[in-house]
Amino acid sequence: MSLKCVVAIFLLANLAFGVRYDYHSSQPVSKSLLTYYENLNATDTCTFDIAPCDPNEWRRLDGSCNNLNQPAKGAYFVPMIRLLDSVYHNGNEPRKAADGEDLPLPRKVRTALLKIGKSSHPELSQQVPSFAAYVLMDIASIHDIEKMLLEKTDCCEPEHMNDPECTPNIIPEDDPIHRFSGIRCLNLTRPQTYQDFHCTQEKVPSLIIRATPSFDSSPIYNQFNDGEKARTYKDGLLITEEENGRLFPPTGPRGLCLLNQAPKETRCYQNHLNSVLPIHMYTLWFYRNHNFIAKELAKVNPHWDDETLFQTARDINIAFQQNMYFYEWLPAVMGYDNLVKAGILNKDQGFRDVYDDKLYPVMTLEYNFALRWFHTMIEATSHLYDKEGNKVGDMPLLEILFRTGWVPQDKNEEYITNGFIRQPCHNPDHSIDYDISERGLPLVQRVLDLATSDMHKNRLFGLAPYVDYVKLFNNITVNDFEDLSPLIDEENIYKLSLLYKNVRDIDLMAGMWSERHMQGGSVSKTLGDITLDALSRSIKGDRHWYERPNRPHAFNKVQLKEIRKSSLARLLCNVGEGVGQVVKRGFYNVGPKNPLVSCSEIPQMKFSAWKE
Ligand SMILES: *[C@@H]1O[C@H](CO)[C@@H](O)[C@H](O)[C@H]1NC(C)=O
Ligand SMILES: *[C@@H]1O[C@H](CO)[C@@H](O)[C@H](O)[C@H]1NC(C)=O
Ligand SMILES: *[C@@H]1O[C@H](CO)[C@@H](O)[C@H](O)[C@H]1NC(C)=O
């Protein structure tokens, strides 16, 4: 064989097997970089293969090939972008106040700005923060919490305080709760970066992310980047295991279920997240919904093979989630008119194509971070109701954290599901539920203050000062505390001015906790702005966006009309356990305008639209 021929075969082979990409830069990896990684034994961590893109293929599990010019953009483990440049002190330390001193302790900010207490939302139900948590898991990961609870558990021990992996929260001397408890420190680990894994030589800390940045139902299809493991490869179905007559994702050794109570509670998912109950419930519902859809498709198309059934069911299930998030959840939380005005909602409900291949599938760090604001909307005591609507008890959510095995037992699933339908969420009126901020995690942590961690992470993520975001979104230059009055009430401006010496010192989360809600919506104004920005990128940057008429395997007009029938009520009616009645407007409280009705009143997709 001639040399030319060998070279040609080599090139062809290369094309067929794909190209190796660098996660951090999302560009093909150079030979010298590969050598660098090899010397550090970091090749598998920092690089990945992308098989050649086919413009007509389905959305890939790992998110690659979404953008045909930049196939790595949109893939699992490719970094987020920032709306505003990072601000750190000395490399990776939290920024300082304008006068060079330390900023106030995160716990101090939290206790000053958020009161502790119960307060019920007049309109919105517990489904609102629950679905928000699930959606966050589609674009974010809990690697830092896992690290703190499993690997690096001793950050408050005096000898570990200066460990570079630790960054515990110090409790102020005059803390309203812990003045007398003897607790002086809350465990926390430093957010993991690409630098920690040797995946970049840049100096500015770059935070890792173990998720694809598109809304593609990662919690169902690719939570740990090995989504193919959940497939049966038969009839398009996902693997299920039966327990107490119900179907669940399979249990396996990797699961993290710290609080399962042996011997009864054994379930712990292998390929799916075991974490907080609201995420668990939505994962369960969308997981079962995949198989529900695949079976309906098989009825209308008995000749379809496994691959066609799986991909079509996945595509419909993702669109179900997207449509529910955009057309049902968002209007409830952010106001329909705001969303139409920002181009997030499509008023006429038909196709729309705003795809722009220069806007890659990306997620902003700010959006990923700002969703933590929803911690202030969680009512941490779950009310339990039976199928007939009788209240049968209460269950603190914290006691079901990392306890996947609890859900299949007895009638727990029925009680939780009917509770979510009937219970209002916490009203985010500058207050937070006691359990979110003052209680511990049984057996694991004496105290866990999620909101203080959020505040601390604000700085560890190197987010720019709050006033820079105010400028970005409102074109208001803030020089003085009084300049905040278009966004924040007098009383809260006063609180901020007691905490922070200079208005530029205010942290983004502190601003969002203090703000009035956006007009027509139920969330902080800046959270609203960050969300609108991120979602507009999602719609424009995702080649597989479900409303596009010319994406690969696009829905036709009739099918898209069926997709519009997706709703939370329909999801519960399809796959919920012991669901007696539901409300049509699934994210709103039960009331005269939103009465409980039977499932027969909830529109169902006609799968005959997919008949071939
Ligand atoms: C190299 O890294 C892999 C994981 O990526 C690990 O399993 C292996 O033990 C490492 N080898 C050395 C020599 O450190
Ligand atoms: C910090 O972690 C240690 C070890 O896991 C635990 O014993 C301790 O209670 C934790 N501290 C608090 C305040 O929860
Ligand atoms: C922002 O405000 C300045 C001064 O108030 C004004 O000149 C400028 O046009 C505004 N920019 C935008 C984009 O509205």
Side-chain angles (χ1 to χ4, degrees), residues 73-84:
K73 300 267 189 204
Y76 187 91
F77 205 56
V78 166
M80 295 170 280
I81 60 164
R82 283 175 184 270
L83 278 178
L84 293 177

PDB file of all heavy atoms in Angstrom, residues 73-84:
ATOM      1  N   LYS A  73     -20.038  22.573  21.782  1.00  0.00           N
ATOM      2  CA  LYS A  73     -20.894  23.497  22.540  1.00  0.00           C
ATOM      3  C   LYS A  73     -22.213  22.794  22.816  1.00  0.00           C
ATOM      4  O   LYS A  73     -22.793  22.185  21.928  1.00  0.00           O
ATOM      5  CB  LYS A  73     -21.183  24.760  21.725  1.00  0.00           C
ATOM      6  CG  LYS A  73     -19.936  25.534  21.339  1.00  0.00           C
ATOM      7  CD  LYS A  73     -19.608  26.603  22.342  1.00  0.00           C
ATOM      8  CE  LYS A  73     -18.495  27.485  21.794  1.00  0.00           C
ATOM      9  NZ  LYS A  73     -17.753  28.164  22.853  1.00  0.00           N
ATOM     10  N   GLY A  74     -22.658  22.896  24.028  1.00  0.00           N
ATOM     11  CA  GLY A  74     -23.913  22.224  24.381  1.00  0.00           C
ATOM     12  C   GLY A  74     -23.713  20.854  24.975  1.00  0.00           C
ATOM     13  O   GLY A  74     -24.663  20.225  25.430  1.00  0.00           O
ATOM     14  N   ALA A  75     -22.458  20.372  24.991  1.00  0.00           N
ATOM     15  CA  ALA A  75     -22.220  19.027  25.511  1.00  0.00           C
ATOM     16  C   ALA A  75     -22.102  19.049  27.036  1.00  0.00           C
ATOM     17  O   ALA A  75     -21.834  20.081  27.648  1.00  0.00           O
ATOM     18  CB  ALA A  75     -20.961  18.437  24.893  1.00  0.00           C
ATOM     19  N   TYR A  76     -22.296  17.866  27.595  1.00  0.00           N
ATOM     20  CA  TYR A  76     -22.108  17.622  29.028  1.00  0.00           C
ATOM     21  C   TYR A  76     -20.715  18.070  29.444  1.00  0.00           C
ATOM     22  O   TYR A  76     -19.743  17.793  28.750  1.00  0.00           O
ATOM     23  CB  TYR A  76     -22.267  16.115  29.234  1.00  0.00           C
ATOM     24  CG  TYR A  76     -22.282  15.633  30.653  1.00  0.00           C
ATOM     25  CD1 TYR A  76     -23.482  15.523  31.354  1.00  0.00           C
ATOM     26  CD2 TYR A  76     -21.106  15.248  31.285  1.00  0.00           C
ATOM     27  CE1 TYR A  76     -23.509  15.044  32.651  1.00  0.00           C
ATOM     28  CE2 TYR A  76     -21.130  14.772  32.588  1.00  0.00           C
ATOM     29  CZ  TYR A  76     -22.328  14.677  33.269  1.00  0.00           C
ATOM     30  OH  TYR A  76     -22.345  14.200  34.555  1.00  0.00           O
ATOM     31  N   PHE A  77     -20.588  18.750  30.577  1.00  0.00           N
ATOM     32  CA  PHE A  77     -19.304  19.143  31.176  1.00  0.00           C
ATOM     33  C   PHE A  77     -18.596  20.278  30.444  1.00  0.00           C
ATOM     34  O   PHE A  77     -17.465  20.613  30.758  1.00  0.00           O
ATOM     35  CB  PHE A  77     -18.356  17.929  31.298  1.00  0.00           C
ATOM     36  CG  PHE A  77     -17.303  18.054  32.372  1.00  0.00           C
ATOM     37  CD1 PHE A  77     -17.648  18.303  33.690  1.00  0.00           C
ATOM     38  CD2 PHE A  77     -15.949  17.917  32.084  1.00  0.00           C
ATOM     39  CE1 PHE A  77     -16.680  18.414  34.697  1.00  0.00           C
ATOM     40  CE2 PHE A  77     -14.962  18.021  33.081  1.00  0.00           C
ATOM     41  CZ  PHE A  77     -15.339  18.267  34.388  1.00  0.00           C
ATOM     42  N   VAL A  78     -19.261  20.908  29.472  1.00  0.00           N
ATOM     43  CA  VAL A  78     -18.677  22.101  28.857  1.00  0.00           C
ATOM     44  C   VAL A  78     -19.100  23.300  29.721  1.00  0.00           C
ATOM     45  O   VAL A  78     -20.257  23.389  30.114  1.00  0.00           O
ATOM     46  CB  VAL A  78     -19.132  22.248  27.386  1.00  0.00           C
ATOM     47  CG1 VAL A  78     -18.815  23.628  26.842  1.00  0.00           C
ATOM     48  CG2 VAL A  78     -18.471  21.165  26.537  1.00  0.00           C
ATOM     49  N   PRO A  79     -18.165  24.206  30.068  1.00  0.00           N
ATOM     50  CA  PRO A  79     -18.449  25.248  31.060  1.00  0.00           C
ATOM     51  C   PRO A  79     -19.613  26.172  30.700  1.00  0.00           C
ATOM     52  O   PRO A  79     -19.949  26.333  29.526  1.00  0.00           O
ATOM     53  CB  PRO A  79     -17.162  26.064  31.130  1.00  0.00           C
ATOM     54  CG  PRO A  79     -16.144  25.352  30.339  1.00  0.00           C
ATOM     55  CD  PRO A  79     -16.806  24.295  29.534  1.00  0.00           C
ATOM     56  N   MET A  80     -20.144  26.794  31.731  1.00  0.00           N
ATOM     57  CA  MET A  80     -21.179  27.816  31.544  1.00  0.00           C
ATOM     58  C   MET A  80     -20.515  29.124  31.102  1.00  0.00           C
ATOM     59  O   MET A  80     -19.313  29.295  31.250  1.00  0.00           O
ATOM     60  CB  MET A  80     -21.897  28.060  32.877  1.00  0.00           C
ATOM     61  CG  MET A  80     -22.672  26.870  33.358  1.00  0.00           C
ATOM     62  SD  MET A  80     -23.281  27.072  35.065  1.00  0.00           S
ATOM     63  CE  MET A  80     -21.837  26.691  36.030  1.00  0.00           C
ATOM     64  N   ILE A  81     -21.339  30.048  30.598  1.00  0.00           N
ATOM     65  CA  ILE A  81     -20.814  31.383  30.311  1.00  0.00           C
ATOM     66  C   ILE A  81     -21.259  32.338  31.425  1.00  0.00           C
ATOM     67  O   ILE A  81     -22.172  32.034  32.175  1.00  0.00           O
ATOM     68  CB  ILE A  81     -21.298  31.913  28.939  1.00  0.00           C
ATOM     69  CG1 ILE A  81     -22.827  32.000  28.899  1.00  0.00           C
ATOM     70  CG2 ILE A  81     -20.795  31.027  27.808  1.00  0.00           C
ATOM     71  CD1 ILE A  81     -23.346  32.861  27.771  1.00  0.00           C
ATOM     72  N   ARG A  82     -20.589  33.490  31.476  1.00  0.00           N
ATOM     73  CA  ARG A  82     -20.959  34.495  32.470  1.00  0.00           C
ATOM     74  C   ARG A  82     -21.547  35.713  31.770  1.00  0.00           C
ATOM     75  O   ARG A  82     -21.033  36.135  30.735  1.00  0.00           O
ATOM     76  CB  ARG A  82     -19.716  34.951  33.248  1.00  0.00           C
ATOM     77  CG  ARG A  82     -19.219  33.987  34.297  1.00  0.00           C
ATOM     78  CD  ARG A  82     -17.914  34.533  34.877  1.00  0.00           C
ATOM     79  NE  ARG A  82     -17.303  33.619  35.833  1.00  0.00           N
ATOM     80  CZ  ARG A  82     -17.544  33.629  37.150  1.00  0.00           C
ATOM     81  NH1 ARG A  82     -18.383  34.513  37.665  1.00  0.00           N
ATOM     82  NH2 ARG A  82     -16.947  32.769  37.947  1.00  0.00           N
ATOM     83  N   LEU A  83     -22.590  36.279  32.359  1.00  0.00           N
ATOM     84  CA  LEU A  83     -23.147  37.522  31.829  1.00  0.00           C
ATOM     85  C   LEU A  83     -22.202  38.681  32.095  1.00  0.00           C
ATOM     86  O   LEU A  83     -22.027  39.562  31.254  1.00  0.00           O
ATOM     87  CB  LEU A  83     -24.476  37.836  32.526  1.00  0.00           C
ATOM     88  CG  LEU A  83     -25.718  37.145  32.019  1.00  0.00           C
ATOM     89  CD1 LEU A  83     -26.909  37.543  32.866  1.00  0.00           C
ATOM     90  CD2 LEU A  83     -25.948  37.515  30.564  1.00  0.00           C
ATOM     91  N   LEU A  84     -21.619  38.696  33.291  1.00  0.00           N
ATOM     92  CA  LEU A  84     -20.650  39.731  33.645  1.00  0.00           C
ATOM     93  C   LEU A  84     -19.366  39.054  34.116  1.00  0.00           C
ATOM     94  O   LEU A  84     -19.419  37.973  34.718  1.00  0.00           O
ATOM     95  CB  LEU A  84     -21.198  40.626  34.759  1.00  0.00           C
ATOM     96  CG  LEU A  84     -22.398  41.509  34.407  1.00  0.00           C
ATOM     97  CD1 LEU A  84     -22.871  42.283  35.637  1.00  0.00           C
ATOM     98  CD2 LEU A  84     -22.062  42.472  33.269  1.00  0.00           C
TER      99      LEU A  84
END
